[in-house]
């Protein structure tokens, strides 16, 4: 068994799949505490606040970063059929701070030009020979979007990411 397969199996083996009820913040925090992130509660709740109809899947990364740091990833899926958001977040607790690297994917019926607000997002890079267009907002958050179609059905897939930090607490 190669190292990549072993790490994948270990990550899956340490994962928990847990349907949650609305505003069950303590359940979310308890899951992070079980994996060793105990100093970032307010930071986690600010950026991964559970809402109605959420599911989350959480697991600890083994090995990881040099020094005293703990990294835990959470995948959250929200919404309903034809209106779903998926976020993947990696929280890192170091001796001094909390860090978050988050990516998200949303899918909307209709074209991207119908679903991306031109007052909030501007085109940074058009890629006419690719499927994606890169957008940014005033906060320099990046968004990649592409139109897909099957027959008469059209959809816009949007993917974004951000990295932020906060204090313990």
């Amino acid at each position: 068994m190669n190292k990549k397969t072993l790490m994948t199996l270990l990550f899956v083996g340490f994962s928990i799949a847990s349907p949650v009820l609305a505003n069950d913040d303590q359940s979310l925090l308890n899951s992070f505490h079980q994996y060793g992130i105990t100093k970032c509660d307010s930071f986690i709740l600010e950026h991964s606040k559970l809402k109605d109809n959420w599911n989350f899947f959480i697991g600890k990364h083994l090995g990881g970063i040099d020094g005293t740091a703990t990294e835990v990833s959470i995948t959250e899926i929200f919404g309903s059929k034809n209106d779903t958001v998926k976020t993947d977040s990696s929280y890192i607790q170091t001796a001094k701070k909390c860090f978050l690297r988050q990516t998200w994917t949303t899918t909307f019926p209709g074209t991207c030009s119908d679903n991306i607000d031109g007052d909030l997002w501007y085109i940074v890079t058009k890629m006419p020979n690719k499927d994606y267009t890169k957008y940014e907002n005033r906060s320099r958050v990046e968004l990649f979007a592409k139109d897909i179609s099957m027959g008469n059905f059209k959809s816009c897939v949007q993917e974004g990411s951000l990295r932020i930090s906060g204090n313990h607490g």
Side-chain angles (χ1 to χ4, degrees):
M1 182 178 307
N2 66 32
K3 188 174 181 180
K4 184 177 179 182
T5 303
L6 179 60
M7 291 306 289
T8 300
L9 289 173
L10 287 173
F11 181 75
V12 170
F14 283 104
S15 294
I16 298 173
S18 174
V20 291
L21 302 174
N23 300 318
D24 196 1
D25 296 339
Q26 196 56 52
S27 174
L28 177 66
L29 293 176
N30 287 344
S31 294
F32 274 95
H33 294 172
Q34 287 175 349
Y35 286 109
I37 295 200
T38 58
K39 298 179 182 177
C40 300
D41 289 3
S42 59
F43 187 71
I44 291 166
L45 290 179
E46 181 180 351
H47 300 289
S48 289
K49 185 107 172 125
L50 298 177
K51 301 173 186 174
D52 288 335
N53 201 21
W54 280 89
N55 288 63
F56 73 90
F57 307 87
I58 189 167
K60 183 174 183 175
H61 293 273
L62 301 177
I65 299 171
D66 292 339
T68 55
T70 302
E71 181 177 2
V72 173
S73 291
I74 181 170
T75 298
E76 301 165 81
I77 300 173
F78 165 78
S80 56
K81 192 157 184 79
N82 297 321
D83 186 18
T84 303
V85 177
K86 175 183 176 268
T87 63
D88 292 301
S89 305
S90 286
Y91 286 91
I92 301 169
Q93 175 183 285
T94 66
K96 295 181 181 180
K97 291 189 86 82
C98 303
F99 294 90
L100 168 62
R101 168 79 166 109
Q102 185 175 71
T103 62
W104 64 88
T105 304
T106 56
T107 305
F108 298 97
T111 65
C112 290
S113 61
D114 292 338
N115 284 291
I116 297 175
D117 186 341
D119 293 331
L120 299 175
W121 297 94
Y122 60 92
I123 294 175
V124 176
T125 307
K126 287 186 178 183
M127 296 176 257
N129 59 342
K130 309 272 188 307
D131 293 336
Y132 285 90
T133 300
K134 180 181 176 184
Y135 297 80
E136 281 188 8
N137 67 12
R138 288 183 187 100
S139 300
R140 310 221 10 113
V141 174
E142 295 178 345
L143 176 72
F144 291 88
K146 75 174 186 174
D147 288 306
I148 58 172
S149 60
M150 294 175 65
N152 291 332
F153 177 76
K154 295 189 183 316
S155 183
C156 175
V157 177
Q158 299 176 19
E159 302 170 59
S161 66
L162 63 89
R163 182 177 173 122
I164 53 177
S165 64
N167 295 322
H168 287 168

